[in-house]
Amino acid sequence: MRKHKKLYDRMGMALLSLPSTKSDRANNKRRNVGNLDATSSAHVISVTGIRPEEPILFCGRYNKAIPVIRQLIKQSERPFVFVGTKRDLNENSCLCLFETQWEYETPLESLPEGNGKIVLESGAETNLALKNFISNWDSHFILMCLGNGLQIDQELLNLLNGVGHYMLISENLQRGIKCFDGVKMSASELLKSMDYIIISSIGTAGKELLKVLPEFEYEKITNSMDFSYHHDAPHEHKGKHHRNGGGLSLNQSKTRESRCIFTEEDLREMQDSNKMLIYNTQYSHAWIAKVTA
């Protein structure tokens, strides 16, 4: 049987819409999160606008940071210096893949020419020396490892911001923040002070990260169905007939609420899928990428 082509297209809004889900296109568009899929670190840095001249924080396993660090070193106009403890910079560490010309075990008043690393012993004297001299390290791109004996507080953060071109690298962000005079800087405060945030895995600081990321207007659609039925007794003057009846009503409500662009579950799924979250705080824009090299 031949089907006739419709003369008119259906117009207007559908009577009912399906409830919103994670794959809801409208909500995903409002989230405005870029998806770079599998790509190189060079492409990620180019698209997201990361610059080694401004504060950067990487959170995750050191081996995941290697491609990003390598690309940032190439782009930087300065030699680099790794700063960390023996646990960070021992001969078996992947961070030692980068060729260096010098190595010291105590903070220096000024840094020699070329690439190097400073392998620190944990302690109050080391922290004091680091704070006394780090303002003089403007000649180098500072790569500081946190959480394995070296911690940061508000004073050290202010000094680093005075230098500007540095990158904090941490496998455990909460462990890398120091309590000073009974007051501990929160992980969200540290994250907010960064220009760029790169997350491979965030661990227990996931909730703190969500405080920093932007929000969007999430539209929630709820459909409901009501069925009513009545059964009356016979009328004494109008015979023995019953007046029975029933009805079906379909309802839909739409509400909007502010939500973070990610949830803790999203962060876990990204980690399980070997993906990174990159957030440019200057533009309040986020991307997801699987960095291949």
Side-chain angles (χ1 to χ4, degrees), residues 15-264:
L15 178 62
L16 290 175
S17 300
L18 292 175
S20 296
T21 64
K22 286 185 178 179
S23 61
D24 178 36
R25 292 182 180 178
N27 281 326
N28 283 337
K29 186 176 181 180
R30 293 189 193 97
R31 288 174 69 218
N32 194 29
V33 176
N35 191 346
L36 302 180
D37 297 320
T39 186
S40 66
S41 57
H43 184 242
V44 168
I45 290 172
S46 174
V47 171
T48 59
I50 298 175
R51 301 173 65 244
E53 291 80 16
E54 296 166 340
I56 306 167
L57 184 144
F58 181 95
C59 191
R61 295 292 182 185
Y62 289 160
N63 62 317
K64 301 295 183 182
I66 294 298
V68 177
I69 295 173
R70 183 180 291 115
Q71 190 61 33
L72 289 172
I73 287 174
K74 287 181 181 179
Q75 292 191 0
S76 176
E77 298 178 354
R78 298 173 174 81
F80 66 83
V81 56
F82 277 99
V83 184
T85 64
K86 290 181 179 180
R87 186 174 171 186
D88 300 309
L89 302 173
N90 63 68
E91 60 183 9
N92 296 320
S93 171
C94 61
L95 297 179
C96 290
L97 295 173
F98 299 94
E99 185 177 348
T100 57
Q101 284 77 53
W102 51 266
E103 177 180 340
Y104 289 89
E105 295 183 353
T106 58
L108 304 175
E109 184 172 357
S110 60
L111 301 180
E113 294 183 358
N115 303 321
K117 59 182 177 180
I118 300 177
V119 186
L120 302 172
E121 291 286 348
S122 301
E125 292 183 0
T126 298
N127 290 337
L128 182 60
L130 188 60
K131 291 177 181 179
N132 286 337
F133 300 145
I134 202 166
S135 297
N136 301 330
W137 296 358
D138 182 75
S139 58
H140 285 64
F141 177 36
I142 303 170
L143 298 149
M144 183 173 291
C145 305
L146 301 177
N148 291 323
L150 182 59
Q151 294 179 309
I152 192 168
D153 57 19
Q154 190 63 60
E155 183 181 2
L156 180 56
L157 179 61
N158 291 340
L159 292 169
L160 281 168
N161 286 332
V163 176
H165 33 269
Y166 69 89
M167 181 177 184
L168 303 179
I169 312 164
S170 180
E171 293 184 326
N172 188 316
L173 193 59
Q174 295 283 25
R175 198 170 61 205
I177 301 174
K178 185 179 180 181
C179 182
F180 184 73
D181 288 342
V183 179
K184 185 176 183 179
M185 177 176 58
S186 68
S188 61
E189 290 175 326
L190 177 58
L191 290 163
K192 286 177 182 177
S193 68
M194 297 294 110
D195 284 351
Y196 312 106
I197 300 170
I198 307 170
I199 304 294
S200 173
S201 58
I202 190 67
T204 56
K207 290 182 179 179
E208 298 293 304
L209 173 63
L210 300 184
K211 296 177 183 179
V212 177
L213 297 175
E215 295 182 338
F216 75 106
E217 289 296 311
Y218 178 84
E219 185 178 84
K220 183 178 181 181
I221 300 175
T222 305
N223 292 326
S224 61
M225 180 184 298
D226 296 321
F227 179 75
S228 60
Y229 177 79
H230 64 268
H231 179 81
D232 294 343
H235 198 282
E236 58 182 341
H237 301 299
K238 297 183 179 180
K240 297 182 178 180
H241 295 288
H242 294 270
R243 291 187 297 173
N244 302 332
L248 179 68
S249 63
L250 301 175
N251 301 292
Q252 184 178 87
S253 63
K254 293 184 180 181
T255 57
R256 283 197 177 187
E257 57 187 42
S258 294
R259 291 189 180 184
C260 181
I261 57 173
F262 294 112
T263 64
E264 288 188 85

